Amino acid sequence: MSALGEAIPLALAAAFSPAALLVLIVLLTAEHPRRLVLAYLTGAVIFAGTLGVGGLFLLSASGATEQSSRSASSSVDLALGLGLLALAFWAWRRHQPRDDADTLNEDGARKEAGKESSLTKISHRATASMKWAFAAGILVYLVSPSYVAAIKAIVDSGDSRPSQLLAVLICAICLLIFVEIPAIVMMVRPDGLKATLERVSHWLATNSWLLVAVLAAAVGTWLLIGAIPALV
């Protein structure tokens, strides 16, 4: 597991997902939070595990690793870096103040000119049934280029397959840490969770996309710095 020093920070960067956190907050304040959060977490775990293991074998089979082809490996890093910079730009634009037609609704998602955002629709549907909560756990992590970069770092390490699979498991746990911790607190000390949720929701509504932009720009730039010299 020699790549964990590189892979864990990448997975933690991907862990900060405003969408995932905002949907979680809505579920935690729903009528039956425990079963909905459990379904939500189950969907997220299955997606993280599938993407991690699938990415591990796909990258190995495609030869896009440092051991097989440095140029192919660097091309993947380049694509991930550019994708992260695009994400950073989008998140920065989303953070910028809008005109009065745009407002923030009660769960922190932006509502534009009287129209519900996609995140708001996902959140409300997730409170309706465990099936929708499970689906929401998958949907909110669909765009995770930093997590893919973490998986690639594990593949590039050249460690044994069991070691790589264990490293993927650790990264998957890191990816979901901001969902796992509130879920555990809900089970152990539910009474102390409400006030914390209110503070977190307010902070997310004003700062979350700025932090996403900074993290995505930092990781994307780091990947490009490593990829471009190998392709020139």
Side-chain angles (χ1 to χ4, degrees), residues 23-49:
V23 172
L24 176 66
I25 289 171
V26 173
L27 293 179
L28 286 169
T29 55
E31 187 176 353
H32 302 289
R34 292 196 177 190
R35 67 185 188 186
L36 291 174
V37 171
L38 180 60
Y40 180 66
L41 182 58
T42 301
V45 167
I46 290 175
F47 177 76

Side-chain angles (χ1 to χ4, degrees), residues 198-221:
E198 291 176 354
R199 292 193 297 269
V200 170
S201 180
H202 177 72
W203 186 88
L204 285 174
T206 55
N207 300 294
S208 58
W209 293 110
L210 175 61
L211 184 54
V212 169
V214 171
L215 289 173
V219 175
T221 301

Side-chain angles (χ1 to χ4, degrees), residues 46-84:
I46 290 175
F47 177 76
T50 301
L51 179 60
V53 175
L56 184 71
F57 285 99
L58 181 62
L59 288 169
S60 298
S62 67
T65 65
E66 288 288 337
Q67 292 77 25
S68 301
S69 171
R70 189 178 180 190
S71 62
S73 175
S74 297
S75 296
V76 174
D77 287 338
L78 179 66
L80 289 172
L82 292 174
L84 280 161

Side-chain angles (χ1 to χ4, degrees), residues 14-196:
F16 189 81
S17 166
L21 293 172
L22 290 170
V23 172
L24 176 66
I25 289 171
V26 173
L27 293 179
L28 286 169
T29 55
E31 187 176 353
H32 302 289
R34 292 196 177 190
R35 67 185 188 186
L36 291 174
V37 171
L38 180 60
Y40 180 66
L41 182 58
T42 301
V45 167
I46 290 175
F47 177 76
T50 301
L51 179 60
V53 175
L56 184 71
F57 285 99
L58 181 62
L59 288 169
S60 298
S62 67
T65 65
E66 288 288 337
Q67 292 77 25
S68 301
S69 171
R70 189 178 180 190
S71 62
S73 175
S74 297
S75 296
V76 174
D77 287 338
L78 179 66
L80 289 172
L82 292 174
L84 280 161
L85 290 183
L87 175 61
F89 178 74
W90 177 81
W92 175 258
R93 289 288 302 273
R94 190 176 178 88
H95 169 72
Q96 294 302 300
R98 307 287 185 89
D99 56 32
D100 292 338
D102 292 357
T103 58
L104 291 175
N105 61 23
E106 61 184 5
D107 61 6
R110 192 172 294 279
K111 189 175 182 180
E112 301 178 359
K115 180 176 61 178
E116 274 193 320
S117 69
S118 297
L119 179 57
T120 302
K121 292 178 182 178
I122 292 172
S123 300
H124 290 168
R125 286 180 178 177
T127 61
S129 69
M130 292 179 65
K131 177 181 69 175
W132 276 109
F134 177 87
I138 296 173
L139 291 173
V140 295
Y141 286 104
L142 279 179
V143 182
S144 302
S146 291
Y147 182 56
V148 176
I151 303 306
K152 186 177 179 300
I154 294 171
V155 177
D156 286 341
S157 69
D159 292 338
S160 65
R161 187 66 75 198
S163 179
Q164 289 181 344
L165 288 171
L166 182 57
V168 167
L169 174 62
I170 293 172
C171 285
I173 292 172
C174 292
L175 174 68
L176 304 178
I177 192 167
F178 292 121
V179 176
E180 295 159 346
I181 292 176
I184 293 172
V185 173
M186 180 188 65
M187 299 295 180
V188 176
R189 192 169 174 267
D191 295 338
L193 196 57
K194 186 175 181 179
T196 302

